[in-house]
Each structure stands twice: as structure tokens, then as C-alpha cells.
Amino acid sequence: MKVLVIGGGGREHALVWKIAQSPKVTALYCAPGNPGIEGLAECVNIAVDDLPALLAFAQKQAIDLTVVGPELPLTLGVVDLFQAHGLKVFGPAQGAAELEGSKAYCKMIMEKYSVPTAAHRTFTDAASAIAYIEAQGAPIVVKASGLAAGKGVTVAQTKEEAIAAVRDIMENRIFGTSGDEVVIEDFLKGEEASLLAFCDGKRAVPMVSSQDHKQVFDGDRGPNTGGMGAYSPAPVLTDALTHEAQRLVLDPMVRGMAAEGRPFVGILYGGLMIDNGQIKVLEFNVRFGDPEAQPVLMRLKSDLVDIMLACIEGRLDEITIEWHEAPAVCVVLASGGYPGDYTKGFPIHGLDRVSDPDAFVFHAGTAKRDGAIVNTGGRVLGVTARGASLQEAIDRAYQNVDLISWEGAFCRRDIGAKGLKKR
Ligand code: AMP
Ligand code: GLY
């Protein structure tokens, strides 16, 4: 099979790494890819939102399966376009991708199908949103409804902060049309976990659990980022709670979306808040998490291509998905200053020193310049390792992190620590 992966971040490097292991795959392409992916797939310089060029490439190469990594092409309808031209593609169609593309739509669906989530209201004008905040008080959470690259959520500790967020979104338009609507919801306390599931339109099969680290600094301090590291499994999601999440969250969502005439095929990612054994949904994403994909895919024993084909063909019930017991940890190395401004173009040293067979360095924001690998993004590398225990996986990840350096590089030093406390 000829396979095309769309995307060029750490998640896509992990997808390519796993797909390349499938005996079914005879040729592997990635658009646009990155220097890490180059060793495993042929990178083609097409942007993830250039749908006509992606389609033309897939047709010319007679691609048998296209796998969509990021949310943007999904919300733009890349799946619908490929299907209309008779091409096999893994991911939700545009209507189903609206679960991530519109938080207002997502909340409406959760409410309609009784999926537990924070109480909320949706607003299309700033004055009513502000009046609601005045009445509700703080803490309170303000979300731009549309895509905002993970930056559209403000967890406000004061009314003033919440009102400023509404003004930024709706009046200063800092996220453009993604701020046409805002969702304002109750603050939820607890511990977060990510539960991703393979979906075939009729059923959801959960993957092993994982936990992201959204804030930039140790101890969950500082501003939110795209994710500074992840590990799997996340002991906060016990087997009993995973079972509850299937019953209360995944099953009703998949059944609900089918009833809406928007069957969900692809990866449904539930961002969950767990408090005293109670699960509430913070959000849904319609694709693998980044960096959750890195440790989760490292733990997948089964052939990912087989699973994706079963999803597309509506026969997830016919296959068994197997996982490695060994925990895995991904530590993100970021550019100094991220998630604020940072300097690009520093040569990265030490990549060739990583030779541990139980560790792998996934590239995210890198480029090749004059023969050297340099940093070009905020999140640059995801150093991922497995171990017999979570502690061993953490130690191995950091041993390999410490082999790599560039000017300003930093990482969190406590990835996985919450998981250790639970033992
Ligand atoms: P979201 O993109 O909706 O997942 O929000 C990003 C992050 O904001 C989440 O991972 C949480 O850390 C935080 N967050 C979102 N909604 C809430 C909420 N209702 N209560 C507390 N924290 C939240
Ligand atoms: N790690 C969070 C996300 O992928 O949205």
C-alpha cells in the first residue's frame, strides 16, 4: 500500500514511525513532513491546508490510504474532498470534525446526548457575555468557539480577567472569526487525562490512557502551551474510570453523531477532568493529541494501518487492538521563550548521541539548514522512551534529553511525576 500522512509535527513523526512498521506499506509519503520524518518517508512540500494540491498529489501517486494528522485540514473538509474522488482517507468528515472546529457545536451535542461536561452558555455578542460573567462571578472559563491553536481558552480567576478575555476575543478579534462566538463555562477542578479512541462511525474503542502537561513550567505553572510532555498510562484513569468514560462519554458521542447524520470515523480525543471519581469532558479533539500520540503510539503493538482500515470500513468489532504493557514518556524540548516569542535557527547538538533502542526522538519544530538541524518552532523535539516501570521510562527519557542541546533549549523536569504519586 502507498500511504500519505498529512502534517509535519511531532504527532505526524510518531504516526509515520508507526505506519512505517506495517508490512502492508510499500511506499510512505508525508506532506509537508519534517527533517525527522525524512528518514522514514518521502517528504513532499505541500501545506496541510492546500487541499487541491494534496488531492492532486494523492491522485498522481495513486495513494491507497491518506492519514490526516492535524485538525485544520479536517475542519476544512479534506476527508470529504478525498472521498468524493474515490480516495481512502482516515479521519472524520467536515461535519464530524465540527466537534473540534466549534466548541459551541460540541457543547450543544454533549448537552443533547447527556455527556457530562461543565455547565455553559454560548454568546455571539460581547455585552451579553459580560453580563453573564458579572452574574456568575469567578473562577470562570472563557473559550473562543473556533480553532485557536490551543490558545483560545482563558481560565479566569477573577471577573476582570474573564471580561478582558471576552473583549480580546470578540472586540479585539485576536483569533479572527474563531471569536465570532464564545463559550463561557463553569470552572472544573480535578486532574486532567486524555482518552483517545479509534472510531468507525458506529463504535469507539479506547486506546490506553495518557496525560498531557499543558502549562509551560514545572508544577503546572505559567501559561498554557500545546503540551510540554505526556506519558501513558495515566494512573488517574483507572480501568474502572476508563469503563465509565466509555459508557458515559465515548459511546453516547459516537451514537449521537451517527444520529445527527455525521458519523464519526477517526480518532475521538476526549480531554477529561477527573474529580473524586467523577468524569467531565473539557473538550473533544478529532485527531491524535500532540504530544500524547508519541507515548501512546510507542505502546501500540498492533498494526496501525489495519486499525485505520477497520475504522474506515466500519468493522472495528472484527479486530483486536493490542498494547505493550511498558509505560512510555515523552518530554518536549522547546525553544527558549516559548510559548511567547523565541529565536529560531540555532543548530541542535547531540541528536546523533541518542542510540538507546528504547528511546526515540520525534521531531516537531525543526528544519535543515546548511546540513545542520536547527530549531524552527516553539516545540522542537519530543524525546520519548519506554521502561519496565513509569519511573524507568521517565529516567530513560531524561537521560536522552540530556544528550541534546541548543541555545535556549528547555524542558519541564517533572513529566510523569503526577503518575508516580499515584503508585
Ligand atoms: P480546552 O482547549 O477546552 O481543553 O482547554 C484548554 C485547557 O484549559 C484544558 O486542558 C484545561 O486545562 C483548561 N480548561 C478548559 N476548560 C476548563 C474548565 N471548565 N475548568 C477548568 N479548566 C478548564
Ligand atoms: N495535547 C493537546 C492537544 O493535542 O490538543
Side-chain angles (χ1 to χ4, degrees):
M1 284 182 79
K2 292 170 108 178
V3 178
L4 166 67
V5 174
I6 297 175
R11 163 184 51 215
E12 287 76 26
H13 193 181
L15 283 166
V16 164
W17 173 83
K18 184 64 193 168
I19 290 168
Q21 294 166 25
S22 169
K24 287 204 166 66
V25 175
T26 52
L28 186 52
Y29 302 90
C30 189
N34 67 39
I37 292 172
E38 258 171 34
L40 298 165
E42 187 179 320
C43 294
V44 267
N45 193 15
I46 305 173
V48 301
D49 59 352
D50 190 348
L51 271 42
L54 291 166
L55 175 66
F57 177 81
Q59 286 178 319
K60 182 159 163 263
Q61 293 295 333
I63 298 292
D64 299 298
L65 172 66
T66 298
V67 176
V68 190
E71 60 276 18
L72 182 59
L74 293 169
T75 58
L76 293 174
V78 70
V79 168
D80 313 61
L81 178 70
F82 273 51
Q83 282 173 347
H85 289 82
L87 292 168
K88 220 169 240 190
V89 53
F90 179 79
Q94 192 169 30
E98 208 177 341
L99 286 179
E100 178 163 0
S102 164
K103 288 183 189 292
Y105 175 77
C106 185
K107 292 294 281 194
M108 184 276 286
I109 292 292
M110 283 196 266
E111 219 151 70
K112 187 164 172 187
Y113 295 98
S114 306
V115 173
T117 186
H120 85 289
R121 291 273 302 275
T122 297
F123 298 93
T124 50
D125 75 286
S128 325
I130 290 167
Y132 180 72
I133 292 167
E134 290 288 3
Q136 290 293 113
I140 194 160
V141 182
V142 179
K143 303 182 175 186
S145 181
L147 292 184
K151 300 190 182 93
V153 175
T154 301
V155 180
Q157 295 306 327
T158 63
K159 282 201 268 188
E160 291 67 34
E161 216 184 312
I163 290 167
V166 168
R167 291 201 193 286
D168 275 344
I169 294 168
M170 304 200 93
E171 289 170 2
N172 305 329
R173 319 267 320 150
I174 60 170
F175 304 117
T177 53
S178 287
D180 286 351
E181 276 182 294
V182 292
V183 170
I184 301 184
E185 66 179 33
D186 291 357
F187 172 80
L188 299 176
K189 63 180 175 60
E191 186 173 336
E192 284 179 54
S194 306
L195 187 62
L196 284 69
F198 293 106
C199 302
D200 70 356
K202 292 173 279 197
R203 55 186 81 76
V205 177
M207 302 184 204
V208 288
S209 63
S210 55
Q211 190 174 53
D212 191 7
H213 297 65
K214 291 241 161 80
Q215 287 93 346
V216 68
F217 299 128
D218 285 18
D220 294 339
R221 286 173 305 110
N224 269 357
T225 69
M228 293 299 291
Y231 66 101
S232 170
V236 64
L237 255 186
T238 57
D239 288 349
L241 277 177
T242 302
H243 193 256
E244 275 296 274
Q246 169 114 44
R247 189 174 68 83
L248 296 173
V249 176
L250 298 174
D251 289 348
M253 285 304 289
V254 171
R255 272 202 300 271
M257 291 304 283
E260 294 293 311
R262 304 185 187 201
F264 194 96
V265 177
I267 305 295
L268 185 62
Y269 162 141
L272 309 179
M273 187 69 99
I274 293 150
D275 186 35
N276 271 323
Q278 299 285 317
I279 297 173
K280 285 200 171 135
V281 177
L282 292 173
E283 64 163 347
F284 284 107
N285 295 319
V286 298
R287 37 120 189 129
F288 273 101
D290 190 344
E292 290 96 325
Q294 289 85 319
V296 167
L297 289 174
M298 194 174 257
R299 296 188 61 212
L300 179 60
K301 200 189 274 181
S302 305
D303 185 334
L304 182 57
V305 173
D306 282 342
I307 304 172
M308 288 178 163
L309 291 174
C311 290
I312 294 170
E313 290 157 16
R315 45 175 188 79
L316 259 184
D317 54 333
E318 291 174 15
I319 64 164
T320 309
I321 302 175
E322 292 185 304
W323 300 91
H324 294 289
E325 280 298 318
V329 175
C330 171
V331 177
V332 170
L333 273 162
S335 297
Y338 175 76
D341 293 339
Y342 51 85
T343 307
K344 302 177 183 181
F346 294 118
I348 300 171
H349 307 287
L351 285 168
D352 52 354
R353 294 174 67 198
V354 178
S355 57
D356 187 336
D358 285 313
F360 197 87
V361 181
F362 294 109
H363 288 230
T366 67
K368 252 192 197 147
R369 201 158 299 158
D370 304 326
I373 306 275
V374 301
N375 71 313
T376 52
R379 295 190 294 165
V380 179
L381 299 169
V383 181
T384 310
R386 60 189 150 219
S389 63
L390 178 58
Q391 183 68 62
E392 205 179 296
I394 292 170
D395 293 345
R396 183 168 286 133
Y398 281 107
Q399 278 156 18
N400 287 287
V401 160
D402 290 336
L403 301 174
I404 301 169
S405 64
W406 71 90
E407 201 174 319
F410 76 101
C411 65
R412 274 181 65 158
R413 286 279 156 188
D414 64 346
I415 304 301
K418 264 189 247 162
L420 291 176
K421 277 195 210 131
K422 300 240 154 38
R423 302 261 144 173

